[in-house]
Amino acid sequence: MAGLSDLYQEILLEHNSKPRNFREVVEPTQSAEGFNPLCGDQITLYLKVVDGVIDDVGFQGTGCAISRASASMMTQSIKGQSLEKAEEIFDAFHHMITEPGGELDLDTLGDLETLSGVNEYPTRIKCAILAWHTMKAALAGDSDGITTE
Ligand code: ZN
């Protein structure tokens, strides 16, 4: 994808080819489905929350490189975090992706900054945000799932 720096592309492709936590979680406490009809990205997200902490997280599904890489990075960033922290990371990511040119909370974002270039591609924003909205739905107990439309 033109516009993303080489380093960013490399990290993205690496997550796409070897997605982290790409598996079902044993005895999840929450799960939700997400679907992005624009691109055909589909994700099932599993969470295991113990004492207000995301003890385990995994995802399955099919989709484009951006949706897979974003889901992979999301699972990495929220695993082991408190629910409040996961919410904070969601907000920072959402802000980064939907408000180009805004100030980034780099401390909270960490590696997720890699996906910041996506906000220049309106059609790809839904790919990048899919896993995140699915996480919100799962935490809200909305197992019917979400669609980005
Ligand atoms: Zn996609």
Side-chain angles (χ1 to χ4, degrees), residues 36 39-41 63-67 124 127:
N36 172 19
C39 180
D41 307 317
C64 66
I66 300 260
S67 70
R124 299 306 226 159
C127 302

Side-chain angles (χ1 to χ4, degrees), residues 38-49:
L38 261 189
C39 180
D41 307 317
Q42 182 268 322
I43 179 176
T44 306
L45 185 74
Y46 307 92
L47 293 165
K48 185 167 186 174
V49 179

